Amino acid sequence: MDMNPVFHQRVDLNALLDEYPASDAFEHGVFRWPADRLRALQERRFRHIVEIGWANPFYRHRWSEAGLQQGDIGGLDDLDKLPLFTSDDIKDDQQAHPPFGEIHNLSRADLAGDAYKVQASGGTTGKPRFTVFGPRDWALQGISSARVLHIQGGRPGDVMQIPATCSLANLGWAYYNACHNFLGILPLTTGSGVVTPTRKQLEIAFDLSTNLWMSFPEYLTHLAKTCREELGRDIRELNTKFLSTFLGPDTDGLLRAALEESWGCKAYDQYGTNEVGGGAFECQAQSGLHLMEDMAIFEFVDVETGVPVRDGGTGNMVVTILARELPPVIRYNLRDLGRLVSSAPCACGGTFRRMDHFLGRSDDMVKIRGVNIYPMGCLSAVKSDKRTTGEWLCIAERHERGGALRDELTVQVEVLSGVGRPDDLRAHLEGRLQSDLGIKVVVELVDEGALAAAANLGREGKAKRLIDRRSQK
Ligand SMILES: [Zn+2]
C-alpha cells in the first residue's frame, strides 16, 4: 500500500478549521449563534454521523438488535430511539475483537493506511481501553481544547505549564496539541511530579515566566505550598493569568475560592474525556460550563432507567459526537453525573447551553442502606471548615450487628497539623455530611498527609475518594 505518511498532508487543516473554527473565529462565530441556527447545524452533522454508524459493525449490530432499520433515524428528534452503550461495552468489544474492537472497525494491518495515534484509558483496573485517532480526530482534539483556552483568555505569547505526562493518557497531549498547533501558546510539557519534581517545576516556571497552568486542584495546591515552603516565595509572584483546572463537584465554590486566593488569579473549570476532548468549559463569567454543542450533542439521562431527565435534573451524561468519525461515538453513556443549569445566552456572549460542575462518576456510586452515595459529594462539607486540609476518603464497610448485616460509611478527613481531634469539628462534619449525603456517616479525623497515598493526592491523575471493603465480588 502506497501512502503519504506526513501527518499535515493527511488532514486538510484549513478545511477542518472552516468547519470547526478554533480561537477568534469560534468565539465570534458559532459560539454565539442563536439556538435554531445551531440546531440546524447539529441536524446536518447528526445525519452524517448516523450514516457512519450504520456502516460500522459495532453500531449496526446494536441498532438492529434494538429493532431499528436504516431510515428509522431521520434526525435529532429520533435520537433517543438509539440504544445507549457504556465503556464496558467497548471493553467487551475490544476483548472479542482485539485490539481495537469493532467500534473502530480497524485492524492492526490497517494502521499502514494513515497517520494514527492511540490513547488509552481505564488502565488502573484490568485492561486499558484503546481509542484510536486518525489525523482529523487528532486535530479536532487540539481544536476543542484550543477553543477552551482561547475563551478563558489564553493568547499567543502566553506560556502554559502542563504538569501531566504525555503517556497513553490523553490530558497532557490535548493541552500540548491545543497550545502548540492552534494558539501560539508555548507549551511546557514538564510531565507529572514523578517526571519533574515539584520544586523543579516551580524553578522552570520562574525561569520561563509561566503564566498559565493546566492541572488538577490537588496538585495546584501542592505547588503553592511547595513554593512557599521550599523556595520561600509566594506563588502569586508568577502573576499567573489563569488556571485551567478540574474543580469537580465544587458546588459551594470553596475549592475555587481557595485556589484563586493562593494563586491570585481566576481558576476555570472544565470537563473532558478521551473521546470528546474539550467537552464543556467555563468562560470568564464562571457561571456554568458551556457544552461544546457544535461538536457534540449532550443528554442527561436517569442513572437507573436511561430515560432523559428534564432540564435541571441530575443524570448520567450521554454524548453523541458530531465531529469525530474514528471511532464514531453515538449515544455513549459516560456515567459521569451532570446537570443542565442554563439554556439562556451567557454574559460572555456565548449561546452554548451550560451545565453544572461535573458532579462525580455514577460508577463510583455506592449504595449504603438503600441510599445512592457519590463520594465526591463530600467535597463541600469537607471544605466548609478551615481546620481541614480539604482532603477526604470514604470507606464503605459491612458490619454484623445483632445477627444482621449493616453497611456503614466512614469518612476520613485530614486536619491541619496542630489542630488535634476537636469534638466540635467532628460533630460539625458529621452533621453537614448527613445533610448533604442523606445518611448518617461516621467521621474520623486523621493527620495532615495521612491520606496522600490511599487517595492518590499530589500525584498525576484523579484523586481516589472511595474504598469499598464490603464483600468484593
Ligand atoms: Zn459564558
Side-chain angles (χ1 to χ4, degrees):
M1 195 187 309
D2 264 349
M3 92 108 178
N4 169 9
V6 178
F7 175 86
H8 289 284
Q9 292 168 354
R10 301 298 310 174
V11 54
D12 183 345
L13 275 180
N14 290 333
L16 189 61
L17 284 164
D18 282 345
E19 225 184 319
Y20 293 99
S23 48
D24 264 333
F26 168 69
E27 183 175 2
H28 297 282
V30 65
F31 185 49
R32 297 186 177 195
W33 282 8
D36 53 344
R37 189 173 173 198
L38 179 64
R39 174 89 178 181
L41 178 73
Q42 290 175 325
E43 281 283 6
R44 187 159 55 74
R45 290 179 173 168
F46 176 66
R47 281 197 286 268
H48 173 64
I49 220 73
V50 168
E51 267 175 47
I52 290 177
W54 278 115
N56 177 295
F58 177 84
Y59 291 100
R60 195 168 57 241
H61 295 159
R62 264 156 213 287
W63 295 356
S64 303
E65 267 172 35
L68 292 167
Q69 291 182 341
Q70 215 153 348
D72 283 353
I73 306 301
L76 282 172
D77 286 342
D78 299 321
L79 178 64
D80 62 7
K81 291 182 187 163
L82 293 167
L84 303 170
F85 70 97
T86 68
S87 59
D88 291 338
D89 296 310
I90 304 180
K91 275 182 206 153
D92 292 347
D93 176 40
Q94 296 192 339
Q95 211 136 45
H97 306 277
F100 304 126
E102 288 189 325
I103 193 168
H104 285 94
N105 204 12
L106 190 78
S107 72
R108 172 67 184 77
D110 290 334
L111 295 183
D114 213 334
Y116 292 109
K117 179 85 179 77
V118 172
Q119 298 297 110
S121 59
T124 43
T125 52
K127 275 168 81 78
R129 186 176 86 248
F130 296 115
T131 305
V132 183
F133 294 72
R136 175 187 154 90
D137 313 289
W138 191 251
L140 279 165
Q141 188 209 51
I143 291 172
S144 66
S145 307
R147 287 172 163 195
V148 173
L149 290 177
H150 177 83
I151 295 282
Q152 293 171 347
R155 291 294 178 272
D158 286 338
V159 177
M160 174 160 237
Q161 198 149 330
I162 305 170
T165 305
C166 288
S167 60
L168 285 178
N170 222 16
L171 188 64
W173 289 102
Y175 277 79
Y176 159 75
N177 192 345
C179 290
H180 193 200
N181 294 330
F182 297 99
L183 292 172
I185 293 176
L186 181 74
L188 291 176
T189 49
T190 43
S192 72
V194 178
V195 178
T196 306
T198 304
R199 188 194 167 105
K200 191 118 198 156
Q201 296 266 5
L202 290 161
E203 287 167 357
I204 292 169
F206 280 108
D207 285 349
L208 294 178
S209 307
T210 294
N211 68 343
L212 303 176
W213 290 79
M214 183 294 300
S215 192
F216 288 95
E218 294 81 9
Y219 194 63
L220 290 167
T221 305
H222 183 63
L223 280 163
K225 183 169 178 244
T226 305
C227 192
R228 196 169 54 243
E229 291 176 359
E230 292 187 27
L231 271 64
R233 300 181 73 166
D234 188 330
I235 198 93
R236 281 173 288 199
E237 288 174 43
L238 279 173
N239 288 317
T240 304
K241 203 165 167 184
F242 64 85
L243 304 171
S244 190
T245 188
F246 303 87
L247 295 172
D250 182 32
T251 45
D252 285 1
L254 295 165
L255 179 58
R256 188 206 306 274
L259 283 176
E260 292 189 339
E261 162 67 20
S262 59
W263 283 76
C265 65
K266 295 275 193 189
Y268 298 120
D269 190 18
Q270 47 257 307
Y271 169 83
T273 77
N274 233 0
E275 294 82 5
V276 190
F281 56 95
E282 276 188 334
C283 61
Q284 296 180 30
Q286 294 178 317
S287 58
L289 282 69
H290 287 283
L291 297 164
M292 195 68 87
E293 293 196 289
D294 68 325
M295 287 191 168
I297 306 280
F298 288 92
E299 303 169 82
F300 300 87
V301 304
D302 186 276
V303 174
E304 313 269 346
T305 65
V307 174
V309 294
R310 279 203 301 220
D311 287 4
T314 298
N316 271 332
M317 296 175 66
V318 170
V319 67
T320 297
I321 306 182
L322 301 169
R324 84 177 288 169
E325 298 177 6
L326 181 73
V329 176
I330 305 169
R331 290 208 94 208
Y332 179 26
N333 183 352
L334 295 158
R335 293 187 288 194
D336 283 345
L337 294 162
R339 185 173 85 82
L340 202 62
V341 291
S342 180
S343 305
C346 177
C348 76
T351 52
F352 288 8
R353 294 176 307 156
R354 283 165 282 152
M355 70 168 202
D356 206 342
H357 299 290
F358 160 58
L359 299 171
R361 294 271 306 152
S362 67
D363 276 10
D364 296 340
M365 181 183 89
V366 280
K367 243 193 173 96
I368 305 281
R369 303 196 292 273
V371 180
N372 290 339
I373 303 292
Y374 304 105
M376 288 299 282
C378 299
L379 187 141
S380 296
V382 171
K383 299 225 182 256
S384 69
D385 193 297
K386 292 228 180 303
R387 290 172 290 179
T388 77
T389 67
E391 301 299 348
W392 78 98
L393 181 64
C394 297
I395 299 171
E397 287 171 307
R398 185 160 289 163
H399 298 294
E400 199 182 323
R401 195 179 284 174
L405 293 172
R406 184 180 158 88
D407 288 345
E408 300 282 359
L409 191 71
T410 301
V411 183
Q412 294 184 330
V413 181
E414 274 191 9
V415 294
L416 293 167
S417 309
V419 163
R421 300 283 183 272
D423 280 339
D424 73 300
L425 175 57
R426 189 170 51 243
H428 159 75
L429 291 171
E430 285 181 347
R432 174 71 198 260
L433 285 165
Q434 181 170 1
S435 129
D436 285 4
L437 302 178
I439 61 161
K440 199 167 162 45
V441 302
V442 176
V443 166
E444 190 186 318
L445 302 177
V446 300
D447 289 338
E448 181 170 357
L451 301 178
N456 191 39
L457 305 172
R459 289 201 300 262
E460 190 169 5
K462 292 169 193 161
K464 183 179 162 129
R465 299 298 182 190
L466 172 74
I467 293 177
D468 197 343
R469 290 188 184 145
R470 297 173 299 177
S471 56
Q472 314 277 338
K473 52 181 172 189

